[in-house]
Amino acid sequence: MLLMIWLVEVVFFDSIYQKMKSDAIMKTGDEIVSNIDKRNVDKLIEKASRDNDFCITVTDLAGNLIYSGDYYGSCKDNVKLNDFIIRTNEALASNKSIVKIKERNEPYISDISLINSKDFSFKQKLRVIKEISYTGIAEKDEFSYVVMLDTRLTPLQATARIITKLLLIATLVMGIIALFIGYIISRKIARPILEISRQADCLAKGSYEMKNQAGGYLEIRQLSSSLNEAAEKLSQVEHLRNELIANVSHDLKTPLTMINGYAEMMRDFPDEDHQESLQIILDETKQLTLLVNDMLDLSRLKSGTLSLNMTQFDLTALLNSVIDRIKALPAANGYEIEIIAKETVQVKGDELKLSQVLYNLIINAINYTGSDKKVKICQSVQNNKVRIEISDSGKGIAPEELNTIWERYYRTNTDHVRSVVGSGIGLSIVKQILELHHAKFGVESKLDQGSTFWFELDIIDNH
Ligand code: ADP
């Protein structure tokens, strides 16, 4: 901005001033020319002379004066005959009006030296004066007027020097203010950003210790808190990953030890009846297969490579068939599964995946239900939505664990006795499938009173 002001005020000052003056003289001259036969032209001439300090002379083609405007009495002499002829001819030749700038040398006194009290001696010099002139021809009723406007361009060097000085002071003051503002802005913006980027670097290196940025602008504070959140999530992921490795290796190790033990026993005592041992080996391999399949399913669901096969089907029938399948499992022996479903409902979704959801939730309810060995399944309809609730009477889930149980491989306690098969990632599969269906789901649980897992789907109305 300062540079712009310098350029306009100092470098282009003269030419801008000259241009403005030529435009003004041209405009005024043209106005007089077009109003020359009006009654109030003398007023117009006087006003133009007063407002712009123009010397105005209007004559006929022979040079006889008709009007003149010299408001400040600064017009020294009449236009000389020679000049008059040249200017009139030029104006006639060039479309009836012409503006010209010419330079003239004018003597002026530069020094007065006092030799003694009565004598003066003057030193005279010449200075260049720029004059600007307008000549226009007005033709009205076969009579021609010559309109001449003259003014001088005031020498601006002295003014320019003052402006330069003022500008210098302004530049210095503004420079100091700019430095001060710059310092404050850098404190408020740049420093917190540098600090955040340092913390982000630490995050990249694996250190999740973050400091919340209190100062700075709102956006910076938001950035800082987002980074904090990211750090928290990352450290959670890190924690879950460690837990996953520990749990998976534990779950792999137990069946493998069993298989290994029974196989060794069968090798060392070949004569004994090994039916039971073989069954254990088969059961354990089944458990391993289940674990591996579930993990594969989950990773496919998570990565989005497993797409849904959406069809319209009878959810109530599916619920009944899943319950029948579970009842047939030897491990579900002795458990009572009660179902309440007043009507049959049609929904749209992936039937196989939703049967997996039901299977996982019911198996969990059997796994964790209390000593009464009861599981209740309730299907209700409201507002065009069907809600499935699966309740058990077990120990329930602590409120602080209600969110974490949906995470992959989370267990509320690691020493629970498994009555029915389970891989430890059932609920994360349930969550992924229900999210893909855009279904609402959740769990309500009270300690020592049991838990209720539920989800809701849109009903397809056939009528
Ligand atoms: P798991 O094979 O361990 O059951 P899930 O992913 O199905 O794996 O469940 C995760 C955890 O959620 C379980 O380990 C258990 O702590 C808790 N949980 C799931 N269902 C119930 C339930 N009905 N009652 C109490 N806790 C449950």
Side-chain angles (χ1 to χ4, degrees):
M1 270 171 68
L2 281 172
L3 191 74
M4 275 300 293
I5 295 173
W6 273 86
L7 280 179
V8 172
E9 294 286 323
V10 179
V11 183
F12 301 121
F13 195 41
D14 239 13
S15 39
I16 292 173
Y17 172 64
Q18 203 163 303
K19 170 89 174 64
M20 280 168 67
K21 271 283 193 191
S22 338
D23 287 353
I25 207 167
M26 169 86 99
K27 200 172 152 240
T28 318
D30 285 349
E31 202 179 345
I32 296 170
V33 165
S34 54
N35 289 299
I36 199 74
D37 55 342
K38 304 272 163 57
R39 281 180 56 210
N40 61 351
V41 70
D42 50 341
K43 294 255 166 53
L44 184 67
I45 289 170
E46 192 192 315
K47 186 176 177 299
S49 167
R50 185 184 62 217
D51 289 354
N52 298 300
D53 192 13
F54 289 153
C55 296
I56 304 171
T57 319
V58 180
T59 63
D60 62 10
L61 276 181
N64 300 311
L65 188 68
I66 301 170
Y67 300 112
S68 86
D70 180 10
Y71 189 82
Y72 298 102
S74 56
C75 309
K76 268 190 261 126
D77 22 52
N78 294 332
V79 180
K80 299 200 177 65
L81 182 64
N82 200 17
D83 272 351
F84 172 75
I85 296 168
I86 295 172
R87 282 173 69 171
T88 313
N89 283 339
E90 274 174 353
L92 284 168
S94 67
N95 214 8
K96 306 227 163 127
S97 82
I98 187 160
V99 172
K100 276 198 137 183
I101 296 171
K102 77 172 181 219
E103 288 181 359
R104 184 165 65 76
N105 289 330
E106 183 181 80
Y108 76 104
I109 300 161
S110 74
D111 262 333
I112 303 170
S113 28
L114 222 62
I115 294 165
N116 59 50
S117 54
K118 278 175 194 154
D119 272 334
F120 299 99
S121 88
F122 303 110
K123 255 191 198 168
Q124 280 208 336
K125 278 191 174 176
L126 289 178
R127 67 171 163 203
V128 181
I129 292 292
K130 272 189 181 171
E131 284 177 336
I132 185 158
S133 69
Y134 167 95
T135 316
I137 308 289
E139 276 168 353
K140 293 279 143 95
D141 307 327
E142 301 193 356
F143 191 83
S144 294
Y145 301 86
V146 181
V147 177
M148 285 178 290
L149 277 71
D150 291 273
T151 188
R152 58 161 58 187
L153 290 173
T154 322
L156 292 173
Q157 287 89 333
T159 324
R161 265 201 300 277
I162 295 171
I163 293 175
T164 314
K165 223 176 226 172
L166 288 177
L167 269 178
L168 203 69
I169 296 169
T171 311
L172 277 174
V173 172
M174 282 171 83
I176 292 168
I177 294 174
L179 275 176
F180 182 67
I181 294 175
Y183 175 73
I184 290 175
I185 290 177
S186 90
R187 269 188 77 96
K188 268 208 132 173
I189 297 179
R191 277 201 197 167
I193 288 182
L194 278 177
E195 176 58 20
I196 289 174
S197 95
R198 195 190 58 74
Q199 292 190 5
D201 273 351
C202 291
L203 195 64
K205 285 183 192 130
S207 147
Y208 304 118
E209 286 297 310
M210 298 292 282
K211 222 171 48 204
N212 220 335
Q213 201 74 39
Y217 289 105
L218 178 70
E219 288 78 2
I220 293 172
R221 291 205 300 275
Q222 276 173 350
L223 179 66
S224 168
S225 78
S226 312
L227 207 65
N228 271 298
E229 236 167 75
E232 217 175 284
K233 285 265 155 64
L234 276 175
S235 83
Q236 266 177 20
V237 168
E238 177 87 2
H239 177 73
L240 277 170
R241 196 186 58 161
N242 291 339
E243 203 161 276
L244 175 79
I245 293 172
N247 283 332
V248 168
S249 38
H250 175 262
D251 271 21
L252 287 175
K253 224 165 87 189
T254 321
L256 282 174
T257 319
M258 301 269 271
I259 293 169
N260 191 35
Y262 282 99
E264 266 178 7
M265 194 175 80
M266 286 162 68
R267 185 196 60 199
D268 296 343
F269 306 101
D271 300 335
E272 286 192 19
D273 180 13
H274 288 304
Q275 275 308 314
E276 212 176 296
S277 317
L278 274 174
Q279 190 54 49
I280 289 171
I281 291 176
L282 281 176
D283 285 350
E284 291 305 324
T285 47
K286 226 187 256 169
Q287 172 67 26
L288 283 176
T289 317
L290 182 102
L291 177 67
V292 171
N293 281 346
D294 271 5
M295 288 180 73
L296 279 177
D297 256 10
L298 184 68
S299 76
R300 268 191 239 135
L301 278 167
K302 280 251 184 203
S303 64
T305 47
L306 206 84
S307 56
L308 293 182
N309 176 21
M310 299 291 269
T311 52
Q312 186 180 330
F313 64 91
D314 185 338
L315 182 70
T316 321
L318 180 75
L319 184 61
N320 283 315
S321 85
V322 171
I323 292 170
D324 288 345
R325 250 168 63 209
I326 290 173
K327 275 183 179 161
L329 283 175
N333 240 340
Y335 287 88
E336 190 185 316
I337 304 176
E338 182 190 357
I339 171 161
I340 305 167
K342 287 197 191 108
E343 54 221 294
T344 59
V345 284
Q346 295 277 327
V347 293
K348 201 167 176 201
D350 188 318
E351 194 170 356
L352 196 71
K353 293 272 163 316
L354 286 174
S355 77
Q356 215 174 334
V357 168
L358 289 169
Y359 190 86
N360 274 312
L361 292 179
I362 300 171
I363 291 282
N364 270 353
I366 292 175
N367 263 338
Y368 297 101
T369 198
S371 49
D372 61 353
K373 293 194 165 188
K374 269 189 189 162
V375 170
K376 194 167 134 193
I377 299 158
C378 178
Q379 175 200 288
S380 58
V381 173
Q382 210 175 24
N383 294 340
N384 226 22
K385 279 192 185 293
V386 55
R387 183 181 170 104
I388 305 277
E389 292 178 338
I390 295 144
S391 316
D392 63 64
S393 58
K395 280 206 302 198
I397 305 159
E400 66 272 13
E401 280 169 341
L402 282 179
N403 285 325
T404 23
I405 51 164
W406 303 95
E407 296 305 329
R408 188 199 312 214
Y409 233 104
Y410 181 84
R411 289 248 172 83
T412 52
N413 55 16
T414 36
D415 53 314
H416 74 270
V417 187
R418 202 172 257 164
S419 45
V420 186
V421 284
S423 63
I425 45 179
L427 282 185
S428 2
I429 293 179
V430 167
K431 179 181 167 198
Q432 289 299 317
I433 294 175
L434 289 176
E435 274 177 358
L436 280 177
H437 279 85
H438 306 293
K440 276 191 181 171
F441 61 91
V443 55
E444 278 140 31
S445 182
K446 275 200 186 125
L447 278 179
D448 294 328
Q449 286 181 29
S451 325
T452 300
F453 283 79
W454 61 269
F455 66 90
E456 285 179 357
L457 288 170
D458 288 334
I459 296 178
I460 303 290
D461 203 353
N462 279 331
H463 311 296

